[in-house]
Amino acid sequence: MKRALITGITGQDGRHLAEQLVGKGYQVFGMVRGQNNPKGQMVQDENPALELVDGDLQDLSSLIAAVEQVQPDEVYNLGAISFVQLSFKQPELTGDITGLGVLRILEAVRIVGGTVDNPIRFYQASSSEMFGKVRETPQNERTAFHPRSPYGVAKVFGHYMTMNYRESYDLYACSGILFNHEGEKRGLEFVTRKITNGIARIKLGLQDSISLGNLESQRDWGYAGDYVDAMWRMLQQDEPDDYVVATGETHTIREFLDVAFALAGYESWEPYVTHDVRFDRPAEVDLLLGDATKAKEKLGWTPTVSFPELVERMYLADLKSEQSTMRSRRR
Ligand code: GDR
């Protein structure tokens, strides 16, 4: 039975990945921070086969202890301060967890190491935010980075550190440069989920409008379940490498609103969307569009959920969950 350790287990990707790995017969360990972390209980209830271990990306000795305890075949580093907007408010914390955290977990993997026949394989969650003010379109593995937020800068550090450990210590270490990926488990602070949840609540009379920031930015949005499959595939190759994971389609926030409101039966979204400067960012990433040719050719990976299907499954899941919350409140 293979053993996997996942940091960021309470986030969208951690939850999807744990579910898929358990389905493949792995013994899966999720790292959680702090005593009585309520989110730890939530993921444990969702996935009873999952085992939780203590550890903190800000604390190297806790990471060494976690890796030593689990003795994993594979480590997936998905833990980070991942909300770009928050990274402008807490740049130092973001640098510490999203950036230096990668170095710490790499150190733990290097020190514990696994066996000669079976060294630990490492996955780093790199991000399309590293491309920032894009140098070319579409973006691929050779496109130069120009991050536009403390989050993006920290991810670039983690990305290069992963390459450096691969080259210096012959570690089987891969980075997946994942473009935006969404779904029913997406946090409510991210724009897609904020919109689908907002529409469901408008539909049920629970709120009047949705306040948003910049509607002009363009994103290459895929389905999170597809993207965690790409992570796993990266760790099953003969040689470690870096891969872009994307759909190859880009849409503005306006287009997302068009599709989502139309699905819910509204002719126009304009009466329901207001602008709030608090959601504008000091520096914006205007356009992301990924070229995942390498992942397709080498990993045999392709996205399976189209843009309209993604919007639909998110909206329907939000509608269902808001309806069931309403029903349980009435009882
Ligand atoms: P992003 O995702 O920053 O691309 O990073 P997010 O959904 O937060 O923003 C996407 C775009 O929407 C614009 N926007 C708003 N965003 C939010 N969150 N809230 C709003 O009200 C709003 N209004 C407009 C943003 O300005 C931006 O242009 C995500 C994260 O998951 C990262 O961790 C990950 O690395 C990248 O995707 C790939």
Side-chain angles (χ1 to χ4, degrees):
M1 200 182 210
K2 272 197 181 178
R3 300 160 74 85
L5 174 63
I6 303 173
T7 75
I9 190 66
T10 61
Q12 167 187 252
D13 292 5
R15 289 162 63 195
H16 274 289
L17 181 63
E19 188 186 312
Q20 289 191 13
L21 293 180
V22 167
K24 289 180 198 298
Y26 278 62
Q27 191 169 4
V28 182
F29 298 83
M31 200 179 84
V32 285
R33 185 168 50 116
Q35 273 177 301
N36 280 328
N37 184 333
K39 283 189 176 169
Q41 193 55 51
M42 184 266 291
V43 290
Q44 185 83 84
D45 293 344
E46 182 180 74
N47 187 345
L50 179 71
E51 291 184 45
L52 298 180
V53 289
D54 290 327
D56 187 335
L57 285 169
Q58 290 181 288
D59 177 5
L60 175 61
S61 40
S62 77
L63 298 175
I64 294 173
V67 177
E68 220 151 35
Q69 180 193 331
V70 171
Q71 294 291 324
D73 298 278
E74 297 168 7
V75 172
Y76 294 86
N77 185 40
L78 314 184
I81 301 270
S82 66
F83 186 31
V84 173
Q85 197 168 357
L86 179 71
S87 80
F88 286 103
K89 299 206 172 82
Q90 296 194 280
E92 189 181 342
L93 183 69
T94 304
D96 197 13
I97 296 176
T98 307
L100 275 174
V102 185
L103 170 61
R104 295 190 191 102
I105 185 90
L106 279 164
E107 265 299 274
V109 168
R110 181 183 74 81
I111 290 165
V112 179
T115 62
V116 179
D117 296 338
N118 191 23
I120 300 172
R121 295 186 169 207
F122 178 81
Y123 173 84
Q124 167 56 18
S126 285
S127 162
S128 54
E129 276 297 298
M130 302 189 303
F131 297 122
K133 195 172 166 63
V134 297
R135 303 284 178 88
E136 60 178 345
T137 297
Q139 297 87 47
N140 61 41
E141 294 79 6
R142 293 173 307 284
T143 303
F145 299 137
H146 185 147
R148 295 273 279 172
S149 61
Y151 169 82
V153 173
K155 281 286 179 189
V156 171
F157 175 87
H159 184 80
Y160 282 132
M161 217 28 115
T162 304
M163 270 174 69
N164 184 255
Y165 269 59
R166 181 166 72 214
E167 292 170 5
S168 307
Y169 305 113
D170 212 16
L171 212 74
Y172 188 108
C174 299
S175 283
I177 307 175
L178 269 50
F179 281 61
N180 297 54
H181 42 287
E182 319 292 314
E184 310 84 342
K185 299 185 190 340
R186 191 55 148 151
L188 286 164
E189 66 274 37
F190 298 96
V191 76
T192 53
R193 184 80 201 286
K194 186 171 170 183
I195 293 171
T196 57
N197 180 259
I199 300 173
R201 292 176 61 81
I202 291 170
K203 191 87 186 165
L204 298 171
L206 298 169
Q207 76 185 53
D208 299 326
S209 61
I210 309 172
S211 302
L212 296 173
N214 172 24
L215 304 185
E216 312 307 330
S217 52
Q218 292 173 260
R219 289 291 182 275
D220 180 332
W221 280 300
Y223 178 59
D226 286 341
Y227 285 45
V228 300
D229 170 52
M231 300 175 183
W232 174 77
R233 286 172 188 251
M234 284 177 216
L235 295 199
Q236 314 311 312
Q237 305 305 306
D238 292 337
E239 296 296 329
D241 207 343
D242 304 325
Y243 298 87
V244 158
V245 180
T247 68
E249 247 185 62
T250 192
H251 299 275
T252 59
I253 315 294
R254 281 179 188 278
E255 286 175 288
F256 194 99
L257 288 164
D258 287 340
V259 175
F261 271 89
L263 256 168
Y266 293 90
E267 267 177 31
S268 157
W269 49 263
E270 317 246 344
Y272 303 101
V273 172
T274 57
H275 181 247
D276 187 332
V277 287
R278 282 179 307 155
F279 300 114
D280 290 337
R281 296 175 181 178
E284 180 61 282
V285 172
D286 296 324
L287 163 72
L288 290 173
L289 175 62
D291 173 3
T293 306
K294 182 174 169 184
K296 284 187 184 126
E297 287 176 356
K298 298 209 167 156
L299 306 177
W301 178 86
T302 41
T304 67
V305 179
S306 71
F307 178 65
E309 283 166 359
L310 173 67
V311 181
E312 184 173 18
R313 68 198 287 166
M314 291 179 71
Y315 169 66
L316 293 178
D318 274 317
L319 191 61
K320 203 170 152 196
S321 104
E322 289 294 337
Q323 278 168 333
S324 90
T325 313
M326 272 174 88
R327 271 196 299 273
S328 58
R329 283 218 185 97
R330 274 201 217 110
R331 263 186 230 123

